[in-house]
Amino acid sequence: FFLGVDARSELEHLDPAGQLVPEKGFLSSAVRVEYTRDGQWVAWTDSNGQLWRARSNGDEKIQLTPDSMVVFLARWAPDGKHLALMARDPGKAWQLYLIGAEGEDLHPLLRESRNAADPSWSPDGKSLVFGRVNDYMGKENAERTLHILHLDTNKIDEVPGSDNLFSPRWSPDGRWIAALTLDQRQVRLFNVASRTWTTLPVPSGADPVWSSDSRFLYIHASLDPAQPIDRISIPDGRVTELVRLADSRENDAVDFVFGGLTRDNEPLIRARVFTGNFFSIDLSR
């Protein structure tokens, strides 16, 4: 006799009526999704950590990264010709990589043994802001700050006032950098021009995503039992709750991943559902 669990997950998008609708077709198995600025191409990671790319209608689908590499997320360059990755090889630290849109010229951007995470492009495509892994297990005791890597010179600058922040996201218009505190209880906003930080009026945040016009920042308030997806107006900070994920399903989900936005700025959510049962096996057979 034994207990068994059947795990399943599906990607859904939040439609304008506030309903979660299953994402059909080639993106149904996606975990994190990223469209190019012009909406013509889409890249996504699957549950095995492999990176794929296709036209937005599903044509010309190819796997970009080797099976041995685990990709957490990928970000399109503004010109749609390259992607910046947060990825790692087995047993090694998370690192930043650059790869061409056809899967060519995959190479690391840093020569470090430390974890590096969450690359996000400047609007001119010449720089990346990145952070470090939020390490709950205490394996990496170095301080966490945000940095900007200048791709043409490999020079790295620290973002001022970014102590104990991670998960940076540069707005498409270049005016703002959003980031999270290590405890994920605050969402901070950096004004690139004035080099000052403000705190946005939300109780927690995870996986921030900018709208294509930089007017809104979407976040998953993952520490809230209701699991809401919030949309924050920038820069005034007005918060709109779009959906409560914990109330949105008949069957309780184990967890949710805020996987990005559609071309129409509709949130993409991946929910995992576990169904448990009690089984027996007749060993004589």
Side-chain angles (χ1 to χ4, degrees):
F1 299 88
F2 64 94
L3 292 172
V5 175
D6 176 39
R8 59 184 176 85
S9 61
E10 60 182 355
L11 186 69
E12 302 168 312
H13 71 267
L14 187 68
D15 69 11
Q19 301 298 313
L20 287 173
V21 180
E23 192 74 15
K24 302 295 186 181
F26 70 102
L27 286 178
S28 62
S29 62
V31 177
R32 298 181 187 276
V33 179
E34 170 91 350
Y35 283 89
T36 54
R37 301 285 174 94
D38 61 11
Q40 298 299 306
W41 297 89
V42 61
W44 69 97
T45 56
D46 62 20
S47 58
N48 296 318
Q50 295 170 349
L51 179 65
W52 301 79
R53 181 232 70 192
R55 289 194 176 273
S56 57
N57 63 1
D59 291 344
E60 300 180 42
K61 174 183 172 182
I62 61 172
Q63 182 178 329
L64 293 179
T65 51
D67 291 344
S68 60
M69 175 175 280
V70 175
V71 181
F72 184 75
L73 57 79
R75 303 295 184 204
W76 283 104
D79 62 7
K81 296 180 180 180
H82 300 86
L83 297 104
L85 317 181
M86 173 185 170
R88 68 179 178 186
D89 289 319
K92 295 186 179 180
W94 291 105
Q95 288 298 319
L96 308 185
Y97 291 84
L98 199 65
I99 191 172
E102 300 296 327
E104 77 281 11
D105 194 24
L106 173 65
H107 64 275
L109 293 174
L110 303 173
R111 299 294 180 180
E112 298 181 345
S113 58
R114 281 192 69 189
N115 286 296
D118 298 297
S120 184
W121 292 91
S122 62
D124 61 9
K126 295 181 179 180
S127 303
L128 290 165
V129 63
F130 69 96
R132 301 294 178 178
V133 172
N134 191 351
D135 184 5
Y136 291 108
M137 301 303 292
K139 296 178 181 178
E140 190 173 305
N141 296 320
E143 293 183 357
R144 305 297 200 281
T145 53
L146 307 182
H147 296 83
I148 294 176
L149 170 64
H150 303 280
L151 295 174
D152 54 348
T153 63
N154 288 326
K155 180 184 177 183
I156 298 177
D157 294 326
E158 184 175 310
V159 178
S162 64
D163 293 349
N164 297 316
L165 298 180
F166 81 116
S167 195
R169 303 289 190 273
W170 212 325
S171 64
D173 64 7
R175 296 176 59 193
W176 314 97
I177 295 175
L180 310 176
T181 55
L182 291 178
D183 61 7
Q184 295 185 230
R185 296 192 178 278
Q186 292 185 9
V187 181
R188 301 273 181 86
L189 189 67
F190 182 68
N191 186 315
V192 174
S194 65
R195 299 168 70 85
T196 56
W197 289 93
T198 56
T199 300
L200 297 175
V202 288
S204 67
D207 296 314
V209 182
W210 285 99
S211 64
S212 56
D213 59 8
S214 302
R215 293 177 55 205
F216 301 100
L217 182 70
Y218 294 76
I219 60 105
H220 176 201
S222 58
L223 300 183
D224 187 326
Q227 298 286 296
I229 299 294
D230 291 330
R231 185 182 65 200
I232 311 168
S233 177
I234 303 298
D236 61 72
R238 187 178 71 255
V239 179
T240 302
E241 185 179 271
L242 300 180
V243 64
R244 294 190 168 203
L245 297 175
D247 300 334
S248 64
R249 303 178 64 89
E250 294 181 3
N251 298 318
D252 290 338
V254 175
D255 58 24
F256 301 93
V257 174
F258 179 24
L261 297 174
T262 68
R263 290 181 295 173
D264 298 321
N265 293 312
E266 295 175 347
L268 290 163
I269 312 297
R270 190 162 190 85
R272 290 196 308 159
V273 177
F274 283 1
T275 303
N277 214 322
F278 192 49
F279 297 87
S280 67
I281 294 179
D282 185 348
L283 297 179
S284 65
R285 297 183 181 180

